[in-house]
Amino acid sequence: MAACGLLRSLSSNFSTVLPLLTRSAPLSPLRLASAPYFGRTLTSSSRLAAALKFTDKHEWIRVGDDGIGTVGISNFAQEALGDVVYCGLPEVGTQLAQQDEFGALESVKAASELYSPLTGEVVEVNELLADKPGLVNKSCYKDGWLMKMTIANPAELDALMDEASYERYIRSIED
């Protein structure tokens, strides 16, 4: 699915540049790389991140088509923590209320509690993190997810921040 999004982004950039490449006068590589020709870029604002909802404690949740939410920590949080060396995660079957503590991350700099973004039941934990906790740093929105959960109250999603709101929130706390 991520590969499809990548190809769509690349193909949209290609279609923007293609008419320029067929001109009789050659364009310099610097001109081709300038903003008017490559207006779209590959960033965390891809379709993958667009579906994310964030808490003020820096957890995110992405709800799949099956109604199961995948939970992780934001890039801001993993950067603040530094190199994660241990992930304490809940057991499958654990019932959580919104904002319940469900685990902890330990890094070389600090330890941080994890809080549930929604009410539901833990249906899966990322077993890879037991041996490779650094995945939280390397791929916090993809391979470094923490747990998957059912969503008992979908209305709770409305209280979470979308990506733009979360970015404004981060800027406000950095000032």
Side-chain angles (χ1 to χ4, degrees):
M1 187 163 75
C4 290
L6 175 63
L7 289 175
R8 272 196 295 272
S9 276
L10 290 175
S11 65
S12 66
N13 281 339
F14 183 72
S15 64
T16 304
V17 175
L18 184 59
L20 301 172
L21 295 176
T22 58
R23 289 182 177 172
S24 57
L27 294 174
S28 73
L30 288 176
R31 186 162 178 219
L32 277 176
S34 67
Y37 303 112
F38 283 100
R40 294 182 65 185
T41 59
L42 298 175
T43 66
S44 65
S45 298
S46 68
R47 188 173 155 209
L48 182 68
L52 296 177
K53 294 288 220 159
F54 295 87
T55 71
D56 61 351
K57 292 182 170 59
H58 311 290
E59 285 84 14
W60 58 261
I61 187 163
R62 179 185 312 110
V63 181
D65 294 335
D66 57 1
I68 300 296
T70 302
V71 177
I73 65 165
S74 71
N75 189 56
F76 176 85
Q78 71 81 19
E79 285 178 350
L81 272 173
D83 294 335
V84 175
V85 295
Y86 174 76
C87 300
L89 300 175
E91 292 184 19
V92 170
T94 302
Q95 296 287 331
L96 297 168
Q98 189 176 33
Q99 298 185 3
D100 275 357
E101 186 177 325
F102 71 83
L105 296 177
E106 294 179 15
S107 73
V108 294
K109 291 200 278 189
S112 179
E113 290 80 22
L114 299 166
Y115 299 93
S116 180
L118 301 173
T119 301
E121 179 181 343
V122 177
V123 295
E124 185 179 350
V125 294
N126 189 345
E127 300 291 342
L128 293 175
L129 298 179
D131 293 328
K132 297 179 182 178
L135 284 174
V136 171
N137 299 107
K138 290 183 179 105
S139 180
C140 63
Y141 296 115
K142 190 176 175 198
D143 299 326
W145 60 274
L146 303 171
M147 69 170 180
K148 294 186 179 188
M149 66 186 301
T150 62
I151 298 170
N153 185 358
E156 290 175 341
L157 279 164
D158 297 336
L160 301 179
M161 294 176 269
D162 62 16
E163 184 178 9
S165 298
Y166 182 68
E167 287 177 6
R168 283 192 299 276
Y169 172 71
I170 295 301
R171 283 194 299 275
S172 75
I173 62 175
E174 286 180 326
D175 293 337

